[in-house]
Amino acid sequence: MKKRISLTQYLVEQQRQHGHIPGQLRLLIEVVARACKRISLSVNKGALGDVLGSADTENVQGEVQKKLDVIANEVLIEANEWGGHLAAMASEEMEDIYAVPNRFPQGEYLLLFDPLDGSSNIDVNVSIGTIFSVLKKPETGAERREPHTLGEADFLQPGSAQAAAGYCVYGPQTTLVLTVGDGVAVFTLDREQGSWTLTQDGIRIPDDTQEFAINMSNKRHWAAPVTRYIDECLAGRDGPRGKDFNMRWIASMVADVHRILTRGGVFLYPWDKREPGKAGKLRLMYEANPMAFLIEQAGGAATDGRRRILDIAPQRLHERVSVVLGSKNEVDRATRYHLEADANPSSNPLPPLY
Ligand code: AHM
Ligand code: MG
């Protein structure tokens, strides 16, 4: 019989043999995985669990929350607050950070998450997911024997500082995709056993692809380099790229990224002219950063059109960012088009903001 490796075994191995993860981080990942299992149960129940539809509340982004957004957020907080591995959490669904209450021990890590990404797909039974990012609590006054209240500023670290990142897709299969900085591993939820089993390790994204993902309905609002890149793809074999491209857009970043990790591709959610003061739709700290970490660990690339996403120094917890990620050669090309436009602003003006 084929030997199966559980998430726990994988993490213990990472801890023992590779020295990648301290005990607290291992516990943290196991707790997040357990929370995802609970979220997956609610997602699977759907109408039977009375979890579909709107919660009639708004989150900090001014978006109407779905019942499952709220449930997933609560599950993640309840699961993580008491174990002693965390100092604080931050979520797409909460305006402020959530410091671990005083009655529980405080750990070394900070956890950020989008509890249920792809909210527009919840009620229509299309794949959705949970995205998470783990940072180390910066050395603070407490270590220096000075009083320090944990605040938003402690979270404002670049994506390159992430200790771990991952997502869980609630789709035809429930899969947990994880990096602790040693490649990307995929675990599939075995529903009968209730356990996560390693089903893929060392994922590599091909450098080239003939598949792109973008919301084409926004085309008239794009900046010129994005239009140039997509138009060239659409021109197919007879155009400058000399090959045909296919398009996919699931409108759940987790599902689009999962496809790219599985068979390559490029994903773009660029800045557009609808709201010029907004750098993009996706959030840097709990959407773009964890995905960029995973994509780079699998040999792909992730930029905001100009800069490597993992190098961006965040200014605010909920800040947004333009995103281009996936197969390296395509991301490099789209990024080059932006930089060329920057170098020649008169022929191709781009807002300085993104
Ligand atoms: P959400 O976090 O509110 O669900 O928004 C993020 C999602 C991404 O998963 C997806 O790529 C994008 O929004 C889809 O946006 P659009 O509906 O504009 O195509
Ligand atoms: Mg999201």
Side-chain angles (χ1 to χ4, degrees):
M1 208 172 76
K2 209 170 150 223
K3 191 172 166 273
R4 293 188 148 203
I5 297 174
S6 68
L7 175 66
T8 305
Q9 280 172 298
Y10 174 87
L11 293 172
V12 168
E13 202 144 298
Q14 287 287 332
Q15 186 181 355
R16 277 198 203 138
Q17 291 185 6
H18 309 295
H20 279 293
I21 49 171
Q24 264 195 21
L25 181 56
R26 178 162 73 84
L27 176 62
L28 192 167
I29 294 167
E30 294 225 47
V31 173
V32 169
R34 208 175 305 142
C36 288
K37 225 182 321 182
R38 278 181 58 195
I39 296 169
S40 114
L41 288 175
S42 289
V43 169
N44 292 158
K45 284 244 178 221
L48 298 176
D50 192 26
V51 295
L52 302 184
S54 163
D56 293 326
T57 46
E58 267 190 13
N59 67 11
V60 54
Q61 340 274 342
E63 300 155 347
V64 176
Q65 293 175 301
K66 296 282 172 68
K67 281 186 198 167
L68 268 172
D69 286 323
V70 177
I71 292 168
N73 195 57
E74 280 167 7
V75 167
L76 279 157
I77 288 179
E78 277 172 30
N80 278 289
E81 66 180 353
W82 53 271
H85 51 281
L86 276 184
M89 295 177 248
S91 162
E92 177 178 326
E93 303 303 334
M94 301 187 296
E95 180 156 12
D96 299 318
I97 67 158
Y98 180 91
V100 164
N102 286 335
R103 62 183 185 280
F104 301 122
Q106 233 201 44
E108 291 300 306
Y109 289 94
L110 307 173
L111 176 66
L112 298 97
F113 46 83
D114 177 356
L116 212 57
D117 182 60
S119 301
S120 70
N121 282 324
I122 292 176
D123 295 343
V124 294
N125 200 6
V126 170
S127 295
I128 46 181
T130 298
I131 310 174
F132 64 93
S133 161
V134 182
L135 293 166
K136 193 98 198 279
K137 185 180 72 168
E139 195 167 297
T140 62
E143 278 90 24
R144 297 195 300 266
R145 300 187 193 290
E146 294 155 16
H148 174 83
T149 313
L150 208 69
E152 179 173 325
D154 294 294
F155 283 77
L156 302 182
Q157 307 175 37
S160 55
Q162 290 171 104
Y167 64 80
C168 181
V169 196
Y170 312 111
Q173 303 119 43
T174 297
T175 45
L176 179 73
V177 179
L178 173 72
T179 185
V180 291
D182 182 32
V184 177
V186 179
F187 302 85
T188 303
L189 181 61
D190 181 332
R191 288 185 199 285
E192 282 88 56
Q193 308 271 349
S195 59
W196 296 102
T197 299
L198 181 70
T199 43
Q200 246 181 307
D201 199 2
I203 289 193
R204 299 305 291 172
I205 301 174
D207 288 346
D208 292 299
T209 181
Q210 288 176 237
E211 200 159 63
F212 67 85
I214 193 164
N215 184 339
M216 283 293 293
S217 70
N218 296 328
K219 186 168 195 240
R220 67 192 182 286
H221 308 298
W222 294 341
V226 177
T227 312
R228 175 183 173 197
Y229 175 73
I230 296 295
D231 278 351
E232 288 183 3
C233 294
L234 292 174
R237 194 173 305 173
D238 302 328
R241 302 299 310 274
K243 57 183 185 178
D244 291 332
F245 279 78
N246 191 15
M247 194 195 93
R248 287 286 182 275
W249 185 249
I250 301 175
S252 285
M253 193 194 199
V254 279
D256 280 312
V257 168
H258 197 65
R259 184 188 60 253
I260 289 170
L261 280 170
T262 307
R263 68 179 189 210
V266 59
F267 169 101
L268 300 93
Y269 209 119
W271 170 93
D272 71 43
K273 292 175 205 142
R274 283 172 299 176
E275 289 182 82
K278 221 156 97 174
K281 175 179 182 183
L282 299 174
R283 275 56 53 128
L284 173 63
M285 300 217 55
Y286 40 81
E287 292 182 319
N289 271 345
M291 291 312 199
F293 190 17
L294 288 162
I295 291 282
E296 284 200 4
Q297 283 290 314
T303 74
D304 70 345
R306 289 161 162 151
R307 299 166 292 177
R308 180 180 177 232
I309 284 182
L310 295 181
D311 285 340
I312 297 174
Q315 307 295 313
R316 292 181 319 279
L317 190 59
H318 296 289
E319 91 182 51
R320 295 175 191 259
V321 68
S322 191
V323 174
V324 183
L325 61 76
S327 289
K328 192 168 181 324
N329 290 340
E330 294 302 316
V331 175
D332 287 353
R333 177 182 285 268
T335 305
R336 174 161 59 81
Y337 289 0
H338 282 76
L339 297 175
E340 283 173 14
D342 283 348
N344 192 2
S346 56
S347 71
N348 226 347
L350 257 181
L353 235 167
Y354 99 106

